[in-house]
Amino acid sequence: MNRYITLCCVMLLFVTEARAFDYSISGFGTLGGAISDNSVRYQRFIDNDGTVKRDSLLGLQFDAKLNDKWGFTTQLILAPSTDDDDVITPQLKWTMISYRPTNDWLIRAGRISLGGLLNQQNLDVGVSYDMVRLPNEVYLLSSSYDFDGLSIAKTWNTTDYEVTLDGSLGMQNRDYRTYYNYSDTAVFYSADVTAGGLILTVTDYDQAMYRAGWHYTKIDPDARQGLLSEYTFVELGGGMYTLGEPVYKSETYGNTFFLGARFPLGGFLISAEGTAVVVEDFEAGPPTFAGYISASRKLGNWTPYLTYAQTWSDGLDTWRKVQGATAVPSLGVTQELIDDGASAMAIYDQKSWMLGTSYAFSPKQKLKAEVMLTHVGDRSAMFDGSIENENVMVYSFSYNFAF
């Protein structure tokens, strides 16, 4: 964190040394509460005791325009820590220098968000969209696309559309969260992540936006043993088996594909996105697919919406086999090891319906309320605990603002 603050200060010093520039300071925030009808925690914080930590945050952004070509942006938020569920910390989201040599080229360098999701750039600014929260089935890994790197974008303008192709390359040290059921403990692991990709965006100068993208990622864990690449099994006879020695690897590679669209249709605004995350030789994080579709309609100050989201993984058979292993303490395979080994797998099999509305006092103030029904199939790593073939209701309310 210190090196990013130092970088921010250096950039600010550069800005303030300019002879004349335009600047603005803006803020945003969400004060939200959520409660479910289940004691198993969902999305880190939501359970039947209620929480304000899932959606609440405060943010501050500084923008400076040195001249027609050079600019600077930094954004700081106060939100739950990425490596501790019990701590609220300041986090530097953006710190970038931008250079626009001509109207159709944009070069950015620094800490930037490089993802291909429709709301990637504004996901922390709750007042900029009507849903209480963006569907976690798709946006679960949204923070994975914040990098220290370089982005080069080229724009083509036609009479009806604006087309932008954005190529990027960056690095980050990211925290990955794993919940161990038997131990009843959330553990965070850090890794150095290098990524690059291409994002194609088409807009119609109004409400419509279409986006497709691809990211290639290299993950290099800080832990000495590396990544759990493969589970192995030892036959015991009589149809019984136990866990063998797991196979670890020092690094792995992955591909993420994005597809999204937002457009008006018969008085409704339709939004839909899909993602596919495919990591090489990584049984603890098998290929995972997700998508959602949402329809909203503006009725005066009200904007009700209905959203359906789903996510599923390819690794359920491996998860079932790990979970069904027999404990053999003499071989070092305890029930704790089996349960924690199974719960550490990032397996998802769930679908959600969200019915909600926003009420806009002004373009910079919104109240939101939502009822969400999530059905879990065999397993969902979004829950901290064992839950299968069960419905969970979540009730949420938030006040969103910007200034």
Side-chain angles (χ1 to χ4, degrees), residues 29-295:
T30 296
L31 302 177
I35 189 170
S36 77
D37 62 354
N38 200 295
S39 60
V40 179
R41 284 189 302 274
Y42 182 29
Q43 300 182 23
R44 291 182 69 183
F45 303 114
I46 302 173
D47 60 16
N48 57 3
D49 289 329
T51 182
V52 297
K53 294 173 68 175
R54 170 59 182 87
D55 300 312
S56 298
L57 63 83
L58 294 172
L60 191 67
Q61 182 166 319
F62 175 84
D63 294 281
K65 184 177 181 181
L66 281 66
N67 51 45
D68 291 339
K69 296 184 176 181
W70 289 94
F72 168 77
T73 299
T74 188
Q75 186 186 98
L76 183 73
I77 67 168
L78 185 66
S81 172
T82 61
D83 61 3
D84 192 326
D85 290 341
D86 299 320
V87 176
I88 306 294
T89 61
Q91 301 164 35
L92 194 61
K93 297 287 286 186
W94 297 348
T95 300
M96 72 181 101
I97 288 285
S98 61
Y99 174 60
R100 190 179 288 278
T102 62
N103 287 336
D104 54 350
W105 285 95
L106 176 62
I107 301 170
R108 297 175 296 158
R111 165 151 288 194
I112 47 183
S113 185
L114 306 178
L117 299 170
L118 292 178
N119 293 286
Q120 185 70 46
Q121 307 297 327
N122 60 294
L123 61 91
D124 290 324
V125 186
V127 75
S128 64
Y129 49 85
D130 293 300
M131 286 183 274
V132 165
R133 70 183 67 86
L134 298 167
N136 209 51
E137 284 82 355
V138 171
Y139 280 81
L140 173 65
L141 297 179
S142 57
S143 62
S144 298
Y145 311 116
D146 295 335
F147 287 93
D148 302 322
L150 177 70
S151 166
I152 301 176
K154 165 68 175 174
T155 299
W156 296 268
N157 292 97
T158 69
T159 303
D160 298 318
Y161 297 100
E162 179 179 272
V163 181
T164 301
L165 182 63
D166 191 342
S168 60
L169 179 67
M171 301 178 64
Q172 68 160 314
N173 186 266
R174 171 170 163 72
D175 298 305
Y176 292 89
R177 183 181 185 273
T178 298
Y179 184 82
Y180 294 109
N181 283 359
Y182 193 98
S183 305
D184 191 23
T185 303
V187 177
F188 294 82
Y189 300 95
S190 60
D192 292 323
V193 181
T194 305
L198 293 171
I199 304 295
L200 179 67
T201 304
V202 180
T203 63
D204 70 346
Y205 305 109
D206 191 12
Q207 289 183 300
M209 174 186 288
Y210 307 92
R211 179 168 285 173
W214 159 80
H215 266 177
Y216 182 72
T217 305
K218 174 188 174 185
I219 303 173
D220 183 5
D222 294 342
R224 182 163 48 180
Q225 73 267 27
L227 292 161
L228 200 165
S229 173
E230 182 182 354
Y231 293 88
T232 65
F233 304 91
V234 176
E235 296 296 331
L236 299 175
M240 300 176 66
Y241 62 91
T242 190
L243 297 182
E245 194 69 28
V247 177
Y248 290 89
K249 60 191 302 186
S250 60
E251 61 188 30
T252 192
Y253 301 85
N255 290 278
T256 303
F257 302 92
F258 308 89
L259 192 63
R262 181 168 59 229
F263 54 90
L265 180 66
F268 292 87
L269 183 64
I270 307 298
S271 299
E273 294 188 81
T275 60
V277 182
V278 182
V279 182
E280 297 178 4
D281 301 323
F282 187 30
E283 286 190 337
T288 297
F289 309 91
Y292 78 86
I293 184 168
S294 181

Side-chain angles (χ1 to χ4, degrees), residues 346-401:
I347 301 291
Y348 302 95
D349 177 20
Q350 74 169 62
K351 58 191 71 174
S352 299
W353 285 96
M354 289 147 273
L355 176 64
T357 187
S358 71
Y359 180 87
F361 295 101
S362 72
K364 294 187 176 182
Q365 292 188 79
K366 281 183 181 178
L367 282 179
K368 303 180 186 181
E370 179 188 273
V371 178
M372 175 172 66
L373 170 65
T374 295
H375 175 77
V376 180
D378 289 334
R379 154 88 173 147
S380 176
M382 293 186 207
F383 287 83
D384 290 352
S386 297
I387 183 169
E388 58 181 288
N389 300 314
E390 191 171 344
N391 293 328
V392 177
M393 294 291 295
V394 177
Y395 307 91
S396 304
F397 183 82
S398 66
Y399 169 65
N400 305 262
F401 60 91

